[in-house]
Amino acid sequence: MIVGGFLLIQAIATVLKPFHPLFISKVNTGVQVALVGYVLARRGLGADAGVVDLVLSIAVAVTTVVQG
């Protein structure tokens, strides 16, 4: 969806404009990767869900909303 929107904007634009990612986008990606890595490691080790799951999930939600 994001790539499609980008291509649509570039197709209808009269002058191609370079787009640079926002810092919050990079933070969001990092937090998402951290959450996935943590959950996979926790599940692989057989550990129970804890407060870290909640904190990372909230961080992903907040950065996603801010990014949008």
Side-chain angles (χ1 to χ4, degrees), residues 5-20:
F6 173 78
L7 292 174
L8 179 64
I9 289 171
Q10 292 295 335
I12 62 175
T14 56
V15 177
L16 294 181
K17 178 181 169 190
F19 287 92
H20 304 287

Side-chain angles (χ1 to χ4, degrees), residues 2 22-36 56-68:
I2 292 171
L22 300 174
F23 178 73
I24 190 66
S25 299
K26 294 189 177 282
V27 170
N28 180 261
T29 300
V31 175
Q32 288 177 353
V33 169
L35 175 62
V36 169
L56 286 173
S57 297
I58 291 171
V60 168
V62 168
T63 57
T64 300
V65 169
V66 170
Q67 176 184 344

